């Protein structure tokens, strides 16, 4: 049995020795070599769309694809037959890095580091941002202490992020498809969003990309947020209506936005988001470091060869 692992991943193949499988590397930017199209297992990470479409059309013996992305939209869009190919995700591999990035975005928004940096590059002293400042003035987002943080899409990343936020004194609530208490956090159903958004200082979105989440944050919901509230998106770019978001920013209807993902990536140079004063942009950089990938691959390979249920099945 052949297992293909990507050159985009720094993986020591010796870690997979001892299994009844031959391990082969492949270039994620090129078609699968002819002598490897009979592989049964494919590990994917940062593959080009053309590479995945090629694999879907030519690798007819594939039985299992291990994506290292938390949300394998690229694999799902490539055309693999879900009836014959089991797809497993990299859920859990990006929890720490995305949580850390999210915390950085929230602190930057609250402490106005982005405005200080703007002044620095212009050779100006931002005196209005220093000196005596009101502490937690009503209608402002200037600190995480006692800030009301609403996390929409309360999964593993949110569970990792919450202790960081609470350590700085934030009040954390969650929103998901099903209400309940998760890791000590009250999680509400989406039908309660209208009331929750009204009492939010920062909305953190960690939603997966799907038809059901497309433009989940639309013009109507943006109007519900307080004028000082920030929107942080580290989930999928399609979950926000970017045109509606830009209009809300133009009108001063929200405090700002910190975005790591976009409807189309790279974000087009003509996007008005680049020119917005209270917008922080990062180039899909929150994840990108699948920690523990070797362990997940080895465990799922063991299960696959033993005919057992795989972890993180989509």
């Amino acid at each position: 049995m052949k297992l293909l692992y990507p050159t985009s991943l720094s993986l020591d193949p010796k870690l997979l020795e001892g299994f009844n499988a031959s391990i082969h590397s492949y270039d994620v930017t090129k078609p699968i070599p002819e002598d490897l199209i009979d592989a049964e297992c494919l590990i994917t990470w940062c593959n080009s769309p053309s590479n995945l479409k090629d694999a879907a059309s030519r690798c007819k013996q594939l039985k299992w694809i291990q994506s290292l992305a938390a949300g394998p939209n690229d694999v799902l869009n490539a055309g693999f037959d879900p009836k014959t190919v089991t797809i497993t995700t990299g859920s859990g591999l990006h929890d720490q890095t995305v949580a850390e990035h999210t915390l950085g975005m929230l602190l930057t928004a609250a402490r106005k580091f982005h405005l200080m940096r703007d002044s620095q590059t212009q050779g100006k002293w931002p005196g209005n941002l220093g000196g005596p400042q009101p502490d937690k003035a009503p209608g402002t987002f200037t600190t995480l202490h006692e800030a009301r943080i609403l996390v929409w899409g309360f999964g593993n990343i949110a569970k990792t992020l919450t202790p960081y936020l609470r350590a700085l004194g934030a009040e954390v609530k969650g929103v998901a498809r099903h209400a309940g208490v998760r890791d000590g956090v009250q999680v509400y159903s989406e039908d309660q969003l209208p009331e929750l958004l009204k009492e939010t200082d920062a909305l953190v979105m960690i939603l997966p990309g799907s038809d059901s989440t497309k433009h989940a944050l639309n013009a109507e919901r943006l109007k519900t947020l307080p004028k000082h509230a920030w929107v942080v998106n580290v989930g999928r770019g399609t979950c926000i209506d970017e045109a509606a978001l830009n209009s809300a920013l133009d009108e001063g209807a929200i405090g700002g936005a910190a975005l790591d993902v976009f409807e189309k990536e790279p974000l087009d140079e003509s996007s008005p988001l680049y020119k917005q004063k209270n917008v922080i942009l990062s180039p899909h950089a929150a994840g990108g470091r699948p920690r523990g990938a070797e362990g997940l691959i080895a465990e799922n390979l063991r299960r696959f060869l033993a005919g057992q249920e795989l972890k993180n099945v989509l």
Side-chain angles (χ1 to χ4, degrees), residues 18-39:
F19 291 100
N20 186 25
S22 58
I23 313 300
H24 307 268
S25 64
Y26 72 98
D27 190 328
V28 298
T29 65
K30 299 178 180 179
I32 302 296
E34 190 68 28
D35 62 332
L36 298 181
I37 62 171
D38 58 343

Side-chain angles (χ1 to χ4, degrees), residues 131-145:
Q133 301 284 328
D135 186 28
K136 294 177 287 186
T140 64
F141 176 50
T142 58
T143 177
L144 286 180
H145 184 65

Side-chain angles (χ1 to χ4, degrees), residues 27 36 42 46 82 85 92 112 115-116 127-128 149 153 163 167 171 173 195 201 220 222 253 259 262 273 288 297 310:
D27 190 328
L36 298 181
L42 178 70
C46 299
V85 181
K112 306 295 184 287
L115 299 181
M116 296 177 191
N128 62 309
I149 310 296
E171 173 192 322
K173 295 179 181 179
E195 293 303 315
D201 296 315
E220 180 181 355
L222 282 164
L259 310 172
F262 307 89
L273 291 173
I297 293 168
L310 304 181

